[in-house]
PDB file of all heavy atoms in Angstrom:
ATOM      1  N   THR A 513     107.882 321.378 199.790  1.00  0.00           N
ATOM      2  CA  THR A 513     108.745 320.202 199.768  1.00  0.00           C
ATOM      3  C   THR A 513     110.217 320.586 199.725  1.00  0.00           C
ATOM      4  O   THR A 513     111.072 319.723 199.650  1.00  0.00           O
ATOM      5  CB  THR A 513     108.422 319.306 198.547  1.00  0.00           C
ATOM      6  OG1 THR A 513     108.440 320.129 197.389  1.00  0.00           O
ATOM      7  CG2 THR A 513     107.060 318.660 198.680  1.00  0.00           C
ATOM      8  N   SER A 514     110.498 321.889 199.783  1.00  0.00           N
ATOM      9  CA  SER A 514     111.897 322.306 199.753  1.00  0.00           C
ATOM     10  C   SER A 514     112.278 322.903 201.101  1.00  0.00           C
ATOM     11  O   SER A 514     111.628 323.836 201.589  1.00  0.00           O
ATOM     12  CB  SER A 514     112.099 323.337 198.631  1.00  0.00           C
ATOM     13  OG  SER A 514     112.853 324.424 199.087  1.00  0.00           O
ATOM     14  N   PHE A 533     101.246 339.904 216.705  1.00  0.00           N
ATOM     15  CA  PHE A 533     100.859 339.492 218.056  1.00  0.00           C
ATOM     16  C   PHE A 533     101.001 340.646 219.046  1.00  0.00           C
ATOM     17  O   PHE A 533     100.145 340.857 219.897  1.00  0.00           O
ATOM     18  CB  PHE A 533     101.702 338.300 218.518  1.00  0.00           C
ATOM     19  CG  PHE A 533     101.546 338.010 219.983  1.00  0.00           C
ATOM     20  CD1 PHE A 533     100.330 337.567 220.494  1.00  0.00           C
ATOM     21  CD2 PHE A 533     102.600 338.200 220.870  1.00  0.00           C
ATOM     22  CE1 PHE A 533     100.165 337.320 221.853  1.00  0.00           C
ATOM     23  CE2 PHE A 533     102.451 337.963 222.231  1.00  0.00           C
ATOM     24  CZ  PHE A 533     101.225 337.520 222.714  1.00  0.00           C
ATOM     25  N   HIS A 553      93.981 351.260 217.883  1.00  0.00           N
ATOM     26  CA  HIS A 553      95.203 350.491 218.112  1.00  0.00           C
ATOM     27  C   HIS A 553      96.162 350.517 216.922  1.00  0.00           C
ATOM     28  O   HIS A 553      97.381 350.539 217.092  1.00  0.00           O
ATOM     29  CB  HIS A 553      94.845 349.060 218.491  1.00  0.00           C
ATOM     30  CG  HIS A 553      95.669 348.553 219.614  1.00  0.00           C
ATOM     31  ND1 HIS A 553      95.621 349.096 220.876  1.00  0.00           N
ATOM     32  CD2 HIS A 553      96.608 347.578 219.665  1.00  0.00           C
ATOM     33  CE1 HIS A 553      96.489 348.472 221.650  1.00  0.00           C
ATOM     34  NE2 HIS A 553      97.096 347.553 220.937  1.00  0.00           N
ATOM     35  N   SER A 573     120.414 355.522 216.477  1.00  0.00           N
ATOM     36  CA  SER A 573     120.385 354.323 217.308  1.00  0.00           C
ATOM     37  C   SER A 573     119.019 353.652 217.182  1.00  0.00           C
ATOM     38  O   SER A 573     117.999 354.222 217.557  1.00  0.00           O
ATOM     39  CB  SER A 573     120.661 354.696 218.766  1.00  0.00           C
ATOM     40  OG  SER A 573     120.180 353.674 219.614  1.00  0.00           O
ATOM     41  N   ALA A 581     109.684 354.774 220.683  1.00  0.00           N
ATOM     42  CA  ALA A 581     108.385 354.359 220.145  1.00  0.00           C
ATOM     43  C   ALA A 581     107.515 353.793 221.262  1.00  0.00           C
ATOM     44  O   ALA A 581     106.340 354.148 221.400  1.00  0.00           O
ATOM     45  CB  ALA A 581     108.586 353.323 219.041  1.00  0.00           C
ATOM     46  N   GLU A 593      93.390 357.640 226.783  1.00  0.00           N
ATOM     47  CA  GLU A 593      92.486 356.891 227.666  1.00  0.00           C
ATOM     48  C   GLU A 593      91.897 357.812 228.729  1.00  0.00           C
ATOM     49  O   GLU A 593      90.679 357.832 228.927  1.00  0.00           O
ATOM     50  CB  GLU A 593      93.252 355.737 228.318  1.00  0.00           C
ATOM     51  CG  GLU A 593      92.357 354.709 228.998  1.00  0.00           C
ATOM     52  CD  GLU A 593      91.968 355.041 230.421  1.00  0.00           C
ATOM     53  OE1 GLU A 593      92.613 355.899 231.058  1.00  0.00           O
ATOM     54  OE2 GLU A 593      90.996 354.452 230.924  1.00  0.00           O
ATOM     55  N   ARG A 594      92.751 358.570 229.399  1.00  0.00           N
ATOM     56  CA  ARG A 594      92.284 359.417 230.501  1.00  0.00           C
ATOM     57  C   ARG A 594      91.258 360.461 230.038  1.00  0.00           C
ATOM     58  O   ARG A 594      90.239 360.676 230.659  1.00  0.00           O
ATOM     59  CB  ARG A 594      93.479 360.158 231.133  1.00  0.00           C
ATOM     60  CG  ARG A 594      94.194 359.494 232.266  1.00  0.00           C
ATOM     61  CD  ARG A 594      93.372 359.180 233.469  1.00  0.00           C
ATOM     62  NE  ARG A 594      92.555 357.991 233.298  1.00  0.00           N
ATOM     63  CZ  ARG A 594      91.568 357.630 234.102  1.00  0.00           C
ATOM     64  NH1 ARG A 594      91.280 358.368 235.129  1.00  0.00           N
ATOM     65  NH2 ARG A 594      90.877 356.551 233.876  1.00  0.00           N
ATOM     66  N   LYS A 599      85.829 358.447 229.020  1.00  0.00           N
ATOM     67  CA  LYS A 599      84.537 359.128 229.074  1.00  0.00           C
ATOM     68  C   LYS A 599      83.431 358.309 228.402  1.00  0.00           C
ATOM     69  O   LYS A 599      82.251 358.601 228.585  1.00  0.00           O
ATOM     70  CB  LYS A 599      84.600 360.499 228.373  1.00  0.00           C
ATOM     71  CG  LYS A 599      85.790 361.346 228.756  1.00  0.00           C
ATOM     72  CD  LYS A 599      85.652 361.898 230.171  1.00  0.00           C
ATOM     73  CE  LYS A 599      86.803 362.843 230.464  1.00  0.00           C
ATOM     74  NZ  LYS A 599      87.322 362.707 231.822  1.00  0.00           N
ATOM     75  N   PHE A 631     105.603 358.030 201.073  1.00  0.00           N
ATOM     76  CA  PHE A 631     106.151 356.871 201.779  1.00  0.00           C
ATOM     77  C   PHE A 631     107.519 357.210 202.353  1.00  0.00           C
ATOM     78  O   PHE A 631     108.315 357.898 201.724  1.00  0.00           O
ATOM     79  CB  PHE A 631     106.292 355.685 200.817  1.00  0.00           C
ATOM     80  CG  PHE A 631     104.993 354.985 200.556  1.00  0.00           C
ATOM     81  CD1 PHE A 631     104.180 355.365 199.499  1.00  0.00           C
ATOM     82  CD2 PHE A 631     104.576 353.953 201.393  1.00  0.00           C
ATOM     83  CE1 PHE A 631     102.981 354.728 199.268  1.00  0.00           C
ATOM     84  CE2 PHE A 631     103.374 353.309 201.159  1.00  0.00           C
ATOM     85  CZ  PHE A 631     102.571 353.692 200.092  1.00  0.00           C
ATOM     86  N   PRO A 643     125.838 339.893 206.239  1.00  0.00           N
ATOM     87  CA  PRO A 643     125.344 338.860 205.320  1.00  0.00           C
ATOM     88  C   PRO A 643     124.330 337.973 206.037  1.00  0.00           C
ATOM     89  O   PRO A 643     124.480 337.691 207.226  1.00  0.00           O
ATOM     90  CB  PRO A 643     126.601 338.069 204.934  1.00  0.00           C
ATOM     91  CG  PRO A 643     127.691 338.544 205.813  1.00  0.00           C
ATOM     92  CD  PRO A 643     127.285 339.836 206.424  1.00  0.00           C
ATOM     93  N   THR A 744      92.202 338.402 216.849  1.00  0.00           N
ATOM     94  CA  THR A 744      91.480 338.268 218.117  1.00  0.00           C
ATOM     95  C   THR A 744      90.206 337.445 217.933  1.00  0.00           C
ATOM     96  O   THR A 744      89.802 336.732 218.837  1.00  0.00           O
ATOM     97  CB  THR A 744      91.127 339.632 218.729  1.00  0.00           C
ATOM     98  OG1 THR A 744      90.529 340.438 217.726  1.00  0.00           O
ATOM     99  CG2 THR A 744      92.334 340.341 219.264  1.00  0.00           C
ATOM    100  N   ALA A 753      96.765 334.139 224.926  1.00  0.00           N
ATOM    101  CA  ALA A 753      97.313 332.927 224.293  1.00  0.00           C
ATOM    102  C   ALA A 753      96.646 332.715 222.937  1.00  0.00           C
ATOM    103  O   ALA A 753      97.298 332.338 221.959  1.00  0.00           O
ATOM    104  CB  ALA A 753      97.099 331.721 225.201  1.00  0.00           C
TER     105      ALA A 753
END
Side-chain angles (χ1 to χ4, degrees):
Chain A
T513 51
S514 134
F533 168 66
H553 223 64
S573 159
E593 193 275 343
R594 270 301 78 193
K599 313 288 185 220
F631 282 91
T744 49

